[in-house]
Amino acid sequence: MRNFFEFEKLGTNYRREIIAGITTFLAMAYVLAVNPFILSGADLPADVKSHYPPFESVFTATALAAAIGTLVMAFVGRLPIGQAPGMGLNAFFTYTAVLTMGVPWQQALAGVFVSCTIFLILTLTGVREAIINSIPSGLKYATSAGIGLFVAFLGLKNAGIIVSNPATIVSLSHLSWHEGMKPEEILAAKQALLAIFGLVVTAILMARKFNAAIFIGMVVTAVVGMICGLVNVPTSIVSAPPSIAPTFGAAFQFLSDPSVMFSGHMLIVIFTFLFVDFFDATGTLLGVASQAGLLKDGKLPRAGKALASDAIAGMAGAILGTSTTTSYVESTAGVAAGGRSGFTAIVIGICFLLSLFFSPVLSVVTSAVTAPALIIVGVLMVSHMTKIAWDQMEEALPAFLTIIMMPLTFSIASGIAAGFIVYPITKVFKGQAKEVHPIMYVLFFVFLVYFIWLRE
């Protein structure tokens, strides 16, 4: 095992790798609660929520997908990187594909499977580099930042901090209560205050450089919520893993029907899953590897295998019943703790398998508990805006529209489409038409058709 993972070459040992694996798992553990919460539509009305997969099944799918994906990364990519269903992609799955476009969740899972299959083919054939180079960096950063705003907005909305207002569209909710208020209004105010408390705690932990800040913040929020009677106390701690039967293989009922899988809406769904995962995975792998000192001449050894591991993890997750599984930037926490090899990923995978037996604890997961995690994740993703050339209007306008349209239209796909349509136009009229890659012109017409068709 030591020779396979090149311990001597990387200057590491079992103790360091185990500590790094546990550290990364704790930094990622919030996904076990947040992903089922989002994919099951837990924050939606009961009649709408019935169109989503059961929370318990998605929890099992999440833990298994994370374990399988991370173990594949351990043995194939041999990198200290954990994998789990991606934040942002799960929001697109629930709020855009299913809620807005009306795509059945089983069909959306099929879309995830197809997108990851395409990702795998592009990786194995080497086409990946051509596509990455065709899309300007400004739009790549804008997509990440826009998803960050979208995710943060979800957190604020789910916690009841931001509410609808007929006069101003949205507004700040009531954060106090008085005798004349309805019981549900008082409860909503208390839940919002609990979420704000959790956000402050998490922010302090992040500022103090705690590796598992998001996870610890959720735990502290849940405990305070239980003390205040705002969160249910779990009746048990350990139990058998919930059944995965409702979600396992659900995607296959649509994969055999090309007329359904390649309809207008599904093409947009597939492309969005592919696009976001494509660049998120590439950026995460390079970032984590760079921090670990694993890059050689600016390139990642076994990059093809690492990206193939990411694609295989996504395909496995779709079969199990969760949105796209991808590499997690929280892996940097483990790298900071000394992780350098794939053995770190083995430890992470084992931790996710063990978490299957602690599902009763998830009864404490409420909107107030998950909201701080969503907002903080949003902050981390929005930081990519600093890399956009804001002093160049032909770059700034497409990027800005990509970012702002996601939360305002409540659609990640619409944000991506807006940016990809405006970018070629601004470049052409700037006299820089030759600087636009031909693939971008193709995507211009694809998204133009998408917008026209969506309005119908």
Side-chain angles (χ1 to χ4, degrees), residues 145-411:
I147 292 175
L149 277 184
F150 183 82
V151 168
F153 178 72
L154 282 177
L156 293 167
K157 181 187 75 70
N158 293 348
I161 299 172
I162 297 296
V163 295
S164 61
N165 186 306
T168 60
I169 303 177
V170 294
S171 65
L172 185 67
S173 67
H174 293 290
L175 299 178
S176 61
W177 53 93
H178 51 79
E179 188 174 340
M181 292 179 67
K182 299 178 181 178
E184 58 269 23
E185 293 175 334
I186 296 175
L187 178 60
K190 291 180 178 180
Q191 292 282 2
L193 287 174
L194 177 62
I196 292 173
F197 166 79
L199 178 61
V200 172
V201 170
T202 307
I204 292 172
L205 293 171
M206 293 286 289
R208 299 294 298 176
K209 307 295 185 183
F210 277 78
N211 289 327
I214 295 177
F215 177 72
I216 296 172
M218 290 181 65
V219 172
V220 172
T221 306
V223 170
V224 171
M226 286 186 281
I227 294 173
C228 297
L230 299 175
V231 174
N232 294 327
V233 179
T235 55
S236 60
I237 302 297
V238 180
S239 72
S243 172
I244 199 175
T247 60
F248 182 77
F252 290 127
Q253 61 181 289
F254 288 97
L255 285 172
S256 60
D257 189 347
S259 63
V260 173
M261 287 307 302
F262 298 102
S263 61
H265 270 155
M266 279 307 297
L267 287 176
I268 295 298
V269 169
I270 292 170
F271 175 80
T272 303
F273 280 135
L274 175 63
F275 175 82
V276 177
D277 185 36
F278 204 87
F279 297 107
D280 184 60
T282 303
T284 299
L285 288 171
L286 290 175
V288 176
S290 176
Q291 182 181 347
L294 300 176
L295 297 183
K296 295 182 179 179
D297 299 324
K299 296 183 180 180
L300 176 64
R302 301 184 301 277
K305 290 183 178 180
L307 285 166
S309 301
D310 192 278
I312 293 170
M315 295 167 67
I319 294 172
L320 292 167
T322 183
S323 55
T324 310
T325 302
T326 188
S327 300
Y328 259 56
V329 73
E330 283 82 355
S331 301
T332 54
V335 169
R340 293 293 180 272
S341 77
F343 193 82
T344 294
I346 290 179
V347 177
I348 300 169
I350 292 173
C351 287
F352 272 115
L353 288 175
L354 292 175
S355 69
L356 283 166
F357 299 95
F358 295 90
S359 61
V361 179
L362 291 180
S363 62
V364 306
V365 176
T366 65
S367 297
V369 174
T370 58
L374 292 174
I375 296 168
I376 292 296
V377 169
V379 172
L380 297 175
M381 297 181 75
V382 168
S383 65
H384 287 94
M385 282 200 294
T386 59
K387 301 177 182 178
I388 298 172
W390 293 110
D391 57 339
Q392 301 175 30
M393 185 55 65
E394 69 276 12
E395 298 282 343
L397 181 59
F400 176 76
L401 290 176
T402 299
I403 294 168
I404 198 67
M405 289 287 282
M406 288 187 190
L408 293 187
T409 63
F410 214 69
S411 170

